[in-house]
Amino acid sequence: PGGANLTTPNRSEANQVGKTKTTAKIAVLGIDLSKKSFQLHGVDAKGNTVLRKRLKRTEIAAFIANLPKCVIAMEACGGAHHWARIFKQFGHTPKLIAPKFVKPYVKSNKNDAADAEAICEAAQRPNMRFVPIKSIEQQDLQSLHRIRSLEVKNRTALCNQIRGLLLEYGIDMPRGISYVRERVPWALEDADNGLSTLFREFLYGLYRELLHTEKTISELERKLQVLGKQSESVKRLMSIPGIGLLTATALVLVMCRYSKMDAKWLPGWGWCLDNIPPVARRPCWESVSEVIAICARCSFTELGLPFG
């Protein structure tokens, strides 16, 4: 009516937002990460959209390096910690958000542009919880733990398969890795147990694979010991009764210097290394549960426990 020409901008026109505006106005930049292309959504200090852009993986670093300092928000997904460390080197303030906290801010059907906008919106919430950025050392330690966990699962699967196959031939082997390790050679050498020559070859192959897996686990644990000796945090944790090498190195991956409020939000994960003195100074710590209770609150005064 009235001769007004009202048209809805299409997606190509929407993607032009920000191309005519200076990137110096960007206060918060949300990035939806993927393997080959990244979707960017930037807003100014008032929350107005000033940038919508899609970049290839090879273009993102150069683009971010030329941006003025701003807050860069991403979902805590695969590769997020890597990009967060790179963006931090450029002088920006990277923030990682758990995907479950971003989902409520998606306005329409799930796509890259909507996800980037939702990430940008979630990062501006004053009470948003952010994921701490892992260092290279923490990721190395995490990779070592995950590889060891996989090898332990493979070892258990091999033992179960060996026991199940032997049971089909009338040989009942007790449960436990030590029994499998000791009794498989006996079964191979016993000529009167009814095992065929072909099955003995199969069994010997499984047994060799089991020994190789155990050797790999031992090598990984030796590397953990080396890393543990190099980390002051691991040493301090291992000084607590009930915490060994595996537990200490795993806890280092989730230890963060949270504030008291953050610690209340994250009970059991709000560890603070500064509040873990040597056992000699706290001889009353007799259980791991007590230590966790103290560190989860990240405050000795709240519990009435003097520090130092």
Side-chain angles (χ1 to χ4, degrees), residues 49-186:
T49 300
V50 295
L51 176 68
R52 290 196 187 104
K53 192 178 186 68
R54 178 182 291 273
L55 294 175
K56 296 180 180 179
R57 185 181 185 89
T58 56
E59 301 172 343
I60 186 67
F63 180 83
I64 297 298
N66 294 324
L67 280 181
K69 295 181 181 180
C70 63
V71 175
I72 300 180
M74 298 169 287
E75 283 187 335
C77 57
H81 293 276
H82 165 73
W83 288 111
R85 290 192 298 269
I86 291 180
F87 297 159
K88 190 174 182 179
Q89 293 176 357
F90 294 153
H92 299 286
T93 304
K95 294 185 177 182
L96 303 183
I97 310 175
K100 65 179 180 180
F101 294 146
V102 176
K103 186 176 181 180
Y105 296 94
V106 178
K107 295 180 180 179
S108 59
N109 296 331
K110 183 174 177 61
N111 54 64
D112 293 346
D115 290 347
E117 183 178 359
I119 294 170
C120 188
E121 181 69 23
Q124 300 177 70
R125 300 304 93 201
N127 296 327
M128 179 55 60
R129 310 176 191 177
F130 298 102
V131 177
I133 300 173
K134 289 186 176 67
S135 63
I136 290 292
E137 292 75 14
Q138 285 178 311
Q139 286 199 312
D140 289 343
L141 198 57
Q142 184 183 50
S143 300
L144 204 158
H145 268 276
R146 289 180 175 176
I147 295 172
R148 180 188 176 277
S149 177
L150 177 62
E151 294 296 334
V152 170
K153 291 181 180 178
N154 292 338
R155 181 179 63 180
T156 303
L158 283 171
C159 290
N160 291 337
Q161 187 176 44
I162 290 174
R163 293 178 60 248
L165 292 175
L166 286 175
L167 188 61
E168 295 295 333
Y169 288 84
I171 301 177
D172 184 14
M173 186 171 295
R175 181 182 301 176
I177 298 174
S178 59
Y179 289 109
V180 175
R181 189 187 306 112
E182 295 174 1
R183 300 196 179 189
V184 167
W186 298 352

Side-chain angles (χ1 to χ4, degrees), residues 198-216:
L198 182 60
F199 179 75
R200 290 177 190 272
E201 294 179 2
F202 297 155
L203 183 61
Y204 180 67
L206 291 175
Y207 182 68
R208 290 185 58 186
E209 186 175 353
L210 176 62
L211 295 180
H212 176 73
T213 302
E214 288 194 320
K215 182 180 179 181
T216 303

Side-chain angles (χ1 to χ4, degrees), residues 3 52 65 91 104 122 159 165 193 199 235 244 283 285 288 293 295 298 300:
R52 290 196 187 104
C159 290
L165 292 175
N193 55 12
F199 179 75
K235 291 180 182 179
W285 288 7
V288 178
C295 296
C298 199
F300 284 80

Side-chain angles (χ1 to χ4, degrees), residues 30 94 217-218 246:
I217 294 174
S218 300
L246 295 178

Side-chain angles (χ1 to χ4, degrees), residues 27-49:
V28 180
L29 179 66
I31 302 180
D32 181 53
L33 303 176
S34 64
K35 294 181 179 179
K36 296 183 179 180
S37 62
F38 294 5
Q39 180 69 38
L40 282 63
H41 184 93
V43 298
D44 58 15
K46 296 182 179 180
N48 300 320
T49 300

